[in-house]
Amino acid sequence: TKKPRIVILGAGYAGILTARRLQKLLRHDEAEIVLVNKHSYHYLTTWLHKAAAGTVEDERITIAIKDVIDSRRIRFIKDTVTEVETTTQRVMLCHGEPLAYDYLVLALGFERADFGIPGIKEHALAICSMNSARQIRLTVEARFAEFAKQKGRDGQEKLTFVVGGAGFTGIEFAAELAERIPALCRQHGIDRQRVQVINVEGAPALLGGFAPALAEYAKASLENMGVQFRLSTRIQSVDRDGVTLLTEAGEERITPATVIWTGGVQGNRVVCNEDFAAVRGRIAAEKDLRAPGHDNVFVLGDCSAVIDKRTGRPFPPTAQLAILQSAVCAENLATLVRGGSDLKEFVPFIKGAVASLGSHDAVGEVFGIELRGRLAMMMKAIIDIRYMAMLGNLRLLLGKGKLAAYVAP
Ligand code: FAD
């Protein structure tokens, strides 16, 4: 009989770990495994803010997919998924022929959500992928160069970067950008006082979900690095010149300004077809991580919504959740391939979260314990190293200096 084909879409946290687990769980003759991803590399999304600010080199957070999967067991296809057709069990690709599947794993990650705010899509940058992070770094560098040429040496005008959103990504990126600025100022002969980073947040506090004391700590740490906060302030629109804010006192313009939007994410639009009833690109996963009404389709990571029984709301999409899901998904797939039907229930055990505040500070909550400064930084390093170990091939990673980047950023 023909081997069933498992097709995994996306080689982010969820996809690559599902692939790696399946290559261990299933024998060669039990299933054909195919992994599809836009690029030939896997990247550490949780480090994209550093690539965007230019505080780490791109190579440090990308890993060739062929180095972390066994290519005798898994066929890798570098292509972009355009559509999933469940009626014919096929995946449409940008370049290649349609790809048939017996089992499908949707792990295509996230994209920016702009909540219908005019101009965000056209005029704001966003941290969504390696390429978008690179675009931010290049834009920041270009703005410094232009500013130095035009008005950097005299006048009062400021070089302004507005970071929209004070969630995890917004705070981590603002800190990283603030850390990069002194070097850029030196390079271009610009006075540091002429450059400003303004973080705009609709809520009255930053890092929603964190304990207030930790949010205050983070705020003080970033202010110390020169970041200004505009809390209880909404971005009303973004245009070519800058941004219009809505504050309690009314409208306010900040121009010229470069806007980096981190205010929201949604699941990948590919899953937004009527087959899956996705809400903002996220499919409400069943307990066994399958898409409702689709016995052979699993949904993981930022494309999935998993309800937290304690709050009745979906868990925030995180790499941590994606990693945990991949283990259950791989086991359930192995059960199905072997003709079983007793699937495991996904019960997430969320350990906490740690946000970096540049390379010298961090803040977090792990197992209910509040961490600040060095302890939080150590915890962040442990999380990162643990993930690198999950990807296997520590020797290769060490050789490339990737692991070293965690220990001594
Ligand atoms: P991703 O990791 O985004 O992977 C999706 C993959 O699919 C990518 O390889 C992409 O190239 C590929 N892809 C996308 N579209 C297509 C297509 N059409 N065709 C083919 N391939 C495609 N979470 C934490 O737990 N801890 C943190 O500290 C943390 N920090 C973060 C910091 C930043 C700056 C950001 C942006 C996020 C952070 N997160 C963190 C969230 C975390 O990164 C995401 O939840 C996680 O990446 C989701 O994993 P995923 O596998 O669903 O998707």
Side-chain angles (χ1 to χ4, degrees):
T1 55
K2 203 174 135 279
K3 284 195 283 190
R5 181 188 283 165
I6 301 172
V7 174
I8 302 168
L9 305 183
Y13 292 84
I16 201 109
L17 287 184
T18 302
R20 281 181 55 84
R21 286 182 160 122
L22 281 176
Q23 79 187 10
K24 275 200 197 130
L25 280 174
L26 290 174
R27 283 194 325 268
H28 204 277
D29 56 349
E30 285 184 302
E32 179 192 356
I33 306 167
V34 183
L35 175 65
V36 185
N37 195 62
K38 249 185 205 176
H39 312 286
S40 56
Y41 54 83
H42 165 76
Y43 54 81
L44 304 176
T45 309
T46 59
W47 275 56
L48 282 182
H49 58 290
K50 291 180 184 277
T55 48
V56 297
E57 284 152 25
D58 296 357
E59 302 78 63
R60 283 211 161 172
I61 61 170
T62 54
I63 302 163
I65 289 172
K66 67 174 175 39
D67 289 341
V68 282
I69 59 167
D70 179 351
S71 43
R72 290 164 307 177
R73 298 298 322 281
I74 297 175
R75 177 152 68 97
F76 173 63
I77 300 177
K78 177 176 172 277
D79 209 329
T80 300
V81 178
T82 54
E83 205 187 322
V84 174
E85 213 177 78
T86 53
T87 43
T88 59
Q89 300 201 171
R90 291 186 312 168
V91 174
M92 305 302 164
L93 302 173
C94 208
H95 302 292
E97 291 294 307
L99 179 65
Y101 64 83
D102 296 297
Y103 298 101
L104 185 68
V105 179
L106 293 168
L108 291 165
F110 67 97
E111 52 190 65
R112 84 169 83 176
D114 55 22
F115 306 119
I117 301 171
I120 294 252
K121 204 161 30 168
E122 301 79 6
H123 302 292
L125 299 156
I127 306 176
C128 296
S129 63
M130 206 56 230
N131 283 341
S132 66
R134 191 175 297 126
Q135 195 193 346
I136 293 173
R137 173 171 60 75
L138 294 174
T139 305
V140 167
E141 289 167 359
R143 294 285 187 271
F144 268 85
E146 286 157 20
F147 190 79
K149 232 200 269 159
Q150 291 161 8
K151 43 205 134 190
R153 290 178 203 280
D154 41 63
Q156 294 306 310
E157 199 172 307
K158 294 208 168 182
L159 176 58
T160 305
F161 297 94
V162 172
V163 179
F168 225 80
T169 304
I171 291 304
E172 288 196 312
F173 174 69
E176 219 59 45
L177 183 59
E179 188 162 304
R180 176 98 199 278
I181 284 173
L184 286 168
C185 284
R186 275 195 302 278
Q187 186 185 337
H188 294 282
I190 298 170
D191 176 2
R192 171 69 183 85
Q193 299 309 318
R194 305 270 309 273
V195 184
Q196 52 183 1
V197 177
I198 304 174
N199 182 287
V200 178
E201 167 61 47
L206 54 153
L207 288 176
F210 265 24
L214 291 181
E216 271 309 310
Y217 177 89
K219 183 163 179 274
S221 177
L222 263 68
E223 279 171 345
N224 214 12
M225 295 164 89
V227 177
Q228 302 166 39
F229 283 95
R230 304 294 305 271
L231 302 176
S232 303
T233 300
R234 294 186 171 278
I235 289 189
Q236 178 143 295
S237 63
V238 183
D239 52 63
R240 198 182 299 271
D241 300 324
V243 59
T244 304
L245 306 181
L246 189 62
T247 71
E248 279 156 358
E251 272 188 14
E252 183 187 329
R253 289 277 293 158
I254 302 183
T255 59
T258 303
V259 182
I260 299 101
W261 171 248
T262 69
V265 293
Q266 62 186 43
N268 195 303
R269 75 190 60 199
V270 170
V271 308
C272 291
N273 69 17
E274 56 212 30
D275 286 0
F276 296 122
V279 178
R280 291 188 35 220
R282 298 180 74 196
I283 301 168
E286 301 281 9
K287 288 190 184 113
D288 53 22
L289 296 177
R290 287 189 286 187
H294 298 276
D295 282 353
N296 58 345
V297 180
F298 287 82
V299 51
L300 308 181
D302 285 13
C303 288
S304 72
V306 175
I307 300 294
D308 182 347
K309 283 186 191 139
R310 288 170 314 155
T311 61
R313 294 168 54 88
F315 284 104
T318 59
Q320 187 179 175
L321 195 65
I323 292 166
L324 293 170
Q325 286 176 323
S326 66
V328 173
C329 173
E331 275 189 46
N332 284 347
L333 274 166
T335 303
L336 289 177
V337 163
R338 289 172 182 150
S341 58
D342 189 14
L343 299 192
K344 252 188 145 173
E345 184 179 333
F346 176 62
V347 185
F349 174 50
I350 302 296
K351 296 166 202 78
V354 184
S356 66
L357 308 170
S359 60
H360 301 291
D361 204 356
V363 69
E365 233 168 28
V366 177
F367 298 119
I369 299 168
E370 295 182 5
L371 302 172
R372 301 170 173 77
R374 257 178 202 289
L375 263 179
M377 282 171 63
M378 256 171 60
M379 187 52 78
K380 187 99 182 143
I382 290 169
I383 294 168
D384 287 331
I385 291 169
R386 205 169 150 256
Y387 179 64
M388 295 308 244
M390 274 183 208
L391 281 184
N393 232 335
L394 271 180
R395 215 149 44 100
L396 171 100
L397 300 169
L398 258 175
K400 280 193 164 181
K402 284 190 169 56
L403 202 60
Y406 296 100
V407 184

